[in-house]
Amino acid sequence: MALTVKQMLEAANAAVPKISPQEAQDLIAKGNTLVVDVRDAPEVEKSGKAKGAVHVSRGMLEFRADPESPYHDKNFVKDKNVILYCASGGRAALAGKLLKDMGYDHVYNIGGFKDWADSGGAVEPGV
């Protein structure tokens, strides 16, 4: 049976805890945390990104997160807390489920970039 986007989002939301921007800031303050912006480049360029976040568009996530990939990003380490966000939370949830499937145990979704910025989360220009 083919999956629908709704079913994929339900599974992702069940597997990846949603945390508030404040909870994310608390995790970041403790260290050993990677914040990942999974939006597309034009979105990041337009609005900026969470300060210190690594931008990896959702389409490249598997390649950046897999240590065996020639495109691996050394920021992705499986014992880190990984906090994801996108524009509204859907892509972040799907990306989080993917990372869980790849063996990342501590994965969280803070929803949308606007949630982060509106809560007072630090923002820097997008690259």
Side-chain angles (χ1 to χ4, degrees), residues 1-109:
M1 182 172 121
L3 287 174
T4 66
V5 170
K6 180 181 178 191
Q7 291 168 321
M8 288 186 283
L9 283 169
E10 287 171 356
N13 286 321
V16 181
K18 178 106 188 252
I19 62 172
S20 71
Q22 183 58 53
E23 291 170 307
Q25 289 180 29
D26 293 345
L27 274 176
I28 293 165
K30 291 178 184 174
N32 199 39
T33 299
L34 172 64
V35 180
V36 183
D37 185 324
V38 297
R39 296 176 297 160
D40 292 334
E43 293 172 282
V44 176
E45 290 168 11
K46 182 178 178 181
S47 65
K49 63 185 180 81
K51 185 175 182 182
V54 172
H55 171 242
V56 178
S57 62
R58 186 168 165 256
M60 285 299 294
L61 188 62
E62 297 92 329
F63 300 99
R64 299 284 190 238
D66 184 352
E68 302 294 319
S69 168
Y71 304 104
H72 179 249
D73 181 324
K74 66 182 179 354
N75 290 302
F76 283 85
V77 179
K78 291 184 180 179
D79 70 348
K80 284 186 178 181
N81 294 309
V82 181
I83 298 171
L84 300 148
Y85 69 87
C86 59
S88 63
R91 287 176 287 177
L94 294 170
K97 170 101 171 43
L98 172 78
L99 290 177
K100 287 246 183 188
D101 291 346
M102 292 179 74
Y104 288 80
D105 292 325
H106 309 287
V107 182
Y108 306 93
N109 177 1

